[in-house]
Amino acid sequence: MEPIIVTQDLKKVYRLGKVDVPALRGVDLVVQEGEFLAVVGPSGCGKSTLLHILGGLTSPTSGHVLVDGNDFMTMNDGDRTRFRRHKIGFVFQRFNLLPTLTARQNIAIAQHIQGNGFNPHRFDAVVEMLGIQGKLNHKPFAMSGGEQQRVAIARAVICEPKILLADEPTGNLDTENSQIVLNMLRALNRSFRQTILMITHNPEAAAVADRIVRMRDGRVVSD
Amino acid sequence: MINKMVLQNLLHRPVRTAVSVLAVAIEVGMVMLVVGLSTGMLHESAKRVEGVGADILVQPPGASMFFGLTQSPMPIKIADRLAEIPRVAAVAPVLFQFNSSGGGLGLIYGIDLNSFNRVSGGFVYHAGGGFEQPYDIVVDDWYAKANHVKVGQTLRFLNHDFRVSGIVEHGKGARLFIPLDTAQDLTVAQGRASIFFVKLTNAGYTDDAKAAISKLLPGYQVLPMREYMSMMTSNNLPALQVFITVLISVAVTIGFLVIFLSMYTTITERTREIGILKSLGASKAYIIEAILREATLLATMGIVAGLLGTLAAKRLIIASFPTQAVDLTPDWAIYSAILALAGTLIGAFYPALRAARLDPVDALGYE
């Protein structure tokens, strides 16, 4: 079976004023469909940049990136947006729920943006699995961090993305809620063969994954 | 879903929403009132002239359609020659006097009560009666109400004291009438008149009578009443048209700038939220649409508030200044709504474009 993510000599250079700052210096990575991968490494090692490139939020400078058969080097901003809409789900450290919308609306807006309309069966299944039935009419400020992150996960998986990209999903949570969120990611991976790529500083969180990739100075140093 | 998000955004920032709605409402109100006051004044003035009941107006050569601007009155004897023209039923000579006392600017008609009554069908008196002495004055009911005037009271006009002899129903030329002889004495224009109001036996003879008068008085302004009425629009007054256009432009610019600032600020404030939408795969068009919908909703609320406010302002103006006409028309309600909506959308477009162009990674990292 073809891997769902393949990167070869992936480089990303940011330009800050007149200075080039390399964030990725040649990343080679292969991820199989249904795999739960943790990427660990110190701050500034390029983990987030890798996640942003794989999610189509930013373009690579050079190298090759193939995600679910899509060659990012040939895609423009609009192509990457469409790709992200249909193939990627994001979970962020800061939850990133829309503050003016309820939990239900935060989840539903992902379906609306995808354009396939509201799917009540999928919605109910996801909401039940994440145990947020009682919070659907609450706005983010009225929910705990753990509840907000579960809503964020629900929003990320409601459209059945090919890949779930999680950026420090337990970074803002206490131990108990961290464990709940990790268990849910694990359950999603096992129950639905959801491919997950998770960035984390936390070794306990990384241990939940099938495979751990370590990065340093913009490169993968162990796999 | 997008509408819910737009609505929630507006509810989430009530002060910004209220200020934006108020700006659009002021824009709409300003446009409506500027046009309403200027056209109202013109139409009301024209209707009063029509209310005299004449079919033809005769003025000296080079006279303006704005009464009182003519400096050289005509010999009053012309009235006798006009009366001899077939189909002419009555001729009323009137000498105009500008009145600027009492803070207002208007015309006083110097009239010969008998001939004026023959043309107009006579005044309807609410109180008192016609002139009894040279320095008597007749006022209309609107003037009396606005200035709390009673019969027998003394009013000072043209540097003279006039006794109010009667209060009449409004709508017959001027709001103030004095005897023709007195008006002539005050301006040293004995035996002269500014205009002749000509009443025909039947309005159907207007064209024939006009031709006959023009033949009798070559070069004089002979204007059928229907032509005069059609000329009394702001389109025929370049200066008024410029004034209206300038004020409308100012109103639209204010609305545009407030909406621009409001949307620009909100985009900056919501940078992170825009980043979230982008991370979910929202296209540039989706984000532009969401922001323009928000602006459209603001404009709609502002237009409704503006129109209601204008109706309230009209009541207030009429209650405070009974002689002031405010002509609000559905046409201008539609134009002002279109102007407000267009200004709002133009004002919101750049912020929307800026939001759509935000880099998703930068936007997500925005504090």
Side-chain angles (χ1 to χ4, degrees):
Chain A
M1 198 169 65
E2 286 286 309
I4 196 162
I5 298 173
V6 179
T7 72
Q8 287 179 338
D9 196 25
L10 177 63
K11 291 180 181 166
K12 175 71 181 179
V13 178
Y14 289 109
R15 186 141 184 105
L16 296 176
K18 292 183 176 177
V19 182
D20 285 341
V21 179
L24 298 179
R25 298 164 189 257
V27 172
D28 296 312
L29 183 70
V30 175
V31 180
Q32 298 298 333
E33 189 161 3
E35 203 172 359
F36 189 164
L37 181 79
V39 179
V40 297
S43 294
C45 71
K47 305 187 297 288
S48 292
T49 302
L50 176 64
L51 190 100
H52 292 153
I53 290 174
L54 296 177
L57 288 175
T58 189
S59 58
T61 305
S62 65
H64 294 284
V65 191
L66 214 59
V67 183
D68 195 34
N70 295 278
D71 183 357
F72 276 18
M73 297 308 290
T74 64
M75 290 165 73
N76 60 24
D77 184 48
D79 295 333
R80 288 201 310 274
T81 300
R82 267 187 295 281
F83 166 83
R84 190 162 66 241
R85 191 183 308 153
H86 296 287
K87 304 276 176 88
I88 301 292
F90 277 104
V91 177
F92 299 98
Q93 180 178 355
R94 291 169 59 181
F95 323 131
N96 280 350
L97 297 178
L98 293 167
T100 57
L101 300 184
T102 62
R104 182 193 303 278
Q105 291 166 338
N106 262 291
I107 300 167
I109 199 166
Q111 288 183 315
H112 182 259
I113 288 171
Q114 197 196 34
N116 288 344
F118 183 69
N119 178 344
H121 301 299
R122 174 73 181 168
F123 185 89
D124 291 342
V126 168
V127 163
E128 190 181 338
M129 196 192 85
L130 291 163
I132 50 175
Q133 301 96 318
K135 298 289 172 185
L136 288 176
N137 294 322
H138 292 208
K139 289 192 175 173
F141 66 83
M143 290 188 280
S144 70
E147 288 164 345
Q148 287 190 57
Q149 195 59 302
R150 280 187 275 159
V151 173
I153 294 171
R155 181 183 64 185
V157 299
I158 193 73
C159 297
E160 303 181 60
K162 281 277 186 178
I163 304 166
L164 181 63
L165 299 173
D167 188 355
E168 298 272 11
T170 59
N172 272 358
L173 300 178
D174 58 24
T175 310
E176 186 187 348
N177 276 309
S178 294
Q179 201 52 53
I180 291 170
V181 165
L182 289 170
N183 289 344
M184 282 174 177
L185 292 176
R186 183 78 259 180
L188 276 169
N189 173 250
R190 289 205 173 133
S191 306
F192 301 109
R193 287 198 75 242
Q194 176 70 62
T195 306
I196 300 176
L197 193 150
M198 176 176 71
I199 286 173
T200 182
H201 277 104
N202 182 350
E204 289 175 24
V208 176
D210 299 326
R211 181 178 145 211
I212 299 174
V213 167
R214 292 178 200 285
M215 287 185 70
R216 182 179 289 274
D217 299 331
R219 292 188 182 89
V220 173
V221 291
S222 77
D223 190 348
Chain B
M1 190 65 224
I2 198 167
N3 289 336
K4 283 181 188 166
M5 185 172 67
V6 163
L7 188 63
Q8 290 300 329
N9 281 336
L10 293 182
L11 294 174
H12 192 64
R13 296 165 178 86
V15 174
R16 178 190 74 97
T17 302
V19 169
S20 304
V21 167
L22 189 64
V24 176
I26 288 172
E27 177 186 347
V28 169
M30 200 165 155
V31 171
M32 288 287 287
L33 285 175
V34 163
V35 174
L37 283 166
S38 51
T39 56
M41 211 163 58
L42 267 182
H43 290 168
E44 195 272 336
S45 166
K47 268 185 87 173
R48 269 192 283 128
V49 172
E50 188 183 31
V52 171
D55 298 304
I56 293 176
L57 310 174
V58 179
Q59 290 182 273
S64 165
M65 61 191 271
F66 294 103
F67 297 164
L69 297 182
T70 308
Q71 295 302 313
S72 51
M74 306 166 283
I76 204 161
K77 287 178 183 169
I78 290 174
D80 298 334
R81 296 167 68 190
L82 290 172
E84 289 167 6
I85 290 175
R87 317 293 187 192
V88 171
V91 179
V94 173
L95 186 66
F96 299 133
Q97 285 287 336
F98 258 125
N99 166 43
S100 58
S101 60
L105 190 66
L107 280 181
I108 298 176
Y109 275 21
I111 58 170
D112 165 54
L113 205 51
N114 289 332
S115 63
F116 196 80
N117 283 345
R118 279 200 298 278
V119 171
S120 66
F123 286 122
V124 176
Y125 286 92
H126 286 207
F131 311 125
E132 291 170 3
Q133 53 194 36
Y135 284 88
D136 271 359
I137 188 165
V138 168
V139 303
D140 81 355
D141 53 342
W142 284 15
Y143 184 90
K145 187 181 170 194
N147 297 282
H148 311 290
V149 172
K150 302 266 186 272
V151 170
Q153 187 177 334
T154 300
L155 300 175
R156 189 158 182 85
F157 291 114
L158 313 169
N159 293 324
H160 286 271
D161 290 332
F162 286 84
R163 182 189 73 95
V164 177
S165 67
I167 296 171
V168 296
E169 178 79 23
H170 62 273
K172 288 192 190 299
R175 300 201 181 284
L176 304 169
F177 303 88
I178 58 175
L180 180 60
D181 293 343
T182 307
Q184 289 170 337
D185 286 345
L186 287 171
T187 51
V188 197
Q190 284 82 359
R192 306 187 84 83
S194 308
I195 193 169
F196 294 107
F197 287 98
V198 179
K199 175 84 175 169
L200 303 178
T201 53
N202 187 315
Y205 298 126
T206 301
D207 291 340
D208 292 343
K210 180 188 173 186
I213 295 170
S214 296
K215 194 175 171 189
L216 177 72
L217 303 168
Y220 279 59
Q221 301 258 350
V222 182
L223 201 60
M225 184 58 77
R226 60 172 184 271
E227 274 182 42
Y228 170 79
M229 292 301 286
S230 69
M231 287 164 66
M232 287 296 277
T233 65
S234 58
N235 291 338
N236 287 323
L237 299 169
L240 184 62
Q241 199 60 34
V242 169
F243 172 75
I244 291 172
T245 306
V246 167
L247 280 182
I248 288 174
S249 304
V250 169
V252 172
T253 305
I254 290 170
F256 161 81
L257 287 175
V258 172
I259 291 293
F260 174 84
L261 195 63
S262 166
M263 297 311 285
Y264 193 87
T265 310
T266 199
I267 294 313
T268 306
E269 203 178 292
R270 295 200 320 239
T271 298
R272 191 178 183 82
E273 292 169 40
I274 291 159
I276 295 168
L277 291 174
K278 284 181 165 256
S279 76
L280 294 172
S283 62
K284 287 180 179 172
Y286 186 95
I287 288 165
I288 289 174
E289 184 188 346
I291 291 163
L292 293 187
R293 278 193 196 206
E294 188 169 323
T296 304
L297 188 56
L298 280 174
T300 306
M301 291 192 289
I303 288 165
V304 172
L307 293 177
L308 292 176
T310 305
L311 292 176
K314 178 184 175 178
R315 281 178 163 236
L316 190 68
I317 289 168
I318 290 174
S320 308
F321 310 98
T323 57
Q324 182 64 57
V326 186
D327 207 354
L328 302 179
T329 64
D331 283 359
W332 271 99
I334 293 167
Y335 295 151
S336 64
I338 291 171
L339 283 171
L341 188 60
T344 301
L345 289 177
I346 294 168
F349 190 71
Y350 173 72
L353 205 60
R354 187 172 165 270
R357 286 177 176 165
L358 281 174
D359 180 83
V361 175
D362 290 344
L364 284 167
Y366 188 81
E367 295 294 339

